[in-house]
Amino acid sequence: MTFNNKVIWITGASSGIGRAVAMELSKQNCKLILSSRREQALLEVKQECTDPKSVEVLTLDLSDYKNMPNIVDNAISIFGRVDVLINNGGISQRSAIIDTSIEVDKKLMEIDYLGTIALSKALLPHFITNKGGQYVVVSSLMGKFSSPLRSAYCGAKHALHGFFDALRLEHDKDNIKVTMICPGFVNTNVARNALIGDGSTQGYQDTMTENGLEVHKFAKKMIKAIQKEKFEAYIGKFERFGVYVKRLSPRLIHKLVLRSKVR
């Protein structure tokens, strides 16, 4: 797949992975729609892109999932179509299950899962009419195997795999592609912004995240996976091999994660 003349919509584009992917894609001959809640931050990303005239901003709150049909109509009206939707927006969590309010679980599901699938479902008729399209979903390695202190996050990411695997099967006949991107540790503010048990933010970086892949290196690997229309891509350092270990032995990945002291 080539990005030439494609219209690519990126959620969570104001920082982190979304911003880095926008910067890399702006070097291609494509048009970008950048979305997140923070309009001013999106406008700053737009100006940093290689060709700001080919980039437009559309604010979006994933928790407002009932409004997604209107958001999709607005997105389509910008350039007349959408060819690729990169579902990158979301939040993380860092707290023990016993200390985590059910409201935190609810918020993670509303934003990371329901917001993402509501947006994707609202765009689906457009892809069917156009006889093709590509969903790119930024999940996590935690969507393939779990880790302590991330129960709500793991639950939401696992749910995304179940939904989009079904979508891929149902709409193979419509030439609609699904690429699940599973990052390992990437050096962004995801840990600082993660929710803790009472719903407040953690507010500090953790060692594993800080030592993760540099975000622009990650973005380049992610873009290659999108171009190849991969079903799933596991992008990280040593931690990406956990996917294969779990396939071999769920008990072994359990032991390895405990020994790694991931926090």
Side-chain angles (χ1 to χ4, degrees), residues 81-102:
R81 71 180 195 280
V82 173
D83 300 301
V84 180
L85 171 61
I86 300 179
N87 283 305
N88 170 71
I91 54 175
S92 190
Q93 169 250 346
R94 299 288 191 277
S95 54
I97 293 170
I98 198 167
D99 298 324
T100 303
S101 164
I102 193 66

Side-chain angles (χ1 to χ4, degrees), residues 46-47 71 127 144 161 190 199 201 210 214 225 227 241:
K46 172 180 176 175
Q47 291 306 313
I71 296 291
F127 279 176
K144 302 298 289 184
H161 283 265
V190 64
T201 56
E210 189 171 15
E214 193 273 323
Q227 287 179 310
F241 296 110

Side-chain angles (χ1 to χ4, degrees), residues 114-228:
L114 289 176
T116 295
I117 69 167
L119 180 61
S120 299
K121 289 176 75 170
L123 186 61
L124 184 57
H126 180 69
F127 279 176
I128 293 172
T129 298
N130 289 351
K131 299 180 180 179
Q134 185 177 12
Y135 291 107
V136 179
V137 185
V138 179
S139 173
S140 170
L141 292 181
M142 298 294 97
K144 302 298 289 184
F145 62 92
S146 294
S147 170
L149 307 182
R150 292 162 174 79
S151 57
Y153 182 70
C154 292
K157 294 300 186 180
H158 274 71
L160 286 173
H161 283 265
F163 176 85
F164 281 99
D165 282 353
L167 188 151
R168 186 192 290 117
L169 286 164
E170 289 185 20
H171 293 283
D172 180 79
K173 65 183 185 299
D174 299 309
N175 193 35
I176 294 173
K177 313 297 183 183
V178 175
T179 296
M180 303 297 294
I181 302 293
C182 302
F185 295 106
V186 182
N187 191 0
T188 68
N189 286 324
V190 64
R192 291 188 179 93
N193 296 330
L195 302 186
I196 58 174
D198 63 1
S200 60
T201 56
Q202 176 170 265
Y204 61 87
Q205 185 71 296
D206 59 57
T207 302
M208 300 293 282
T209 303
E210 189 171 15
N211 293 332
L213 279 181
E214 193 273 323
V215 69
H216 285 285
K217 290 181 180 179
F218 174 87
K220 289 177 180 178
K221 292 177 182 290
M222 175 172 160
I223 288 169
K224 286 182 180 179
I226 297 170
Q227 287 179 310
K228 293 178 180 178

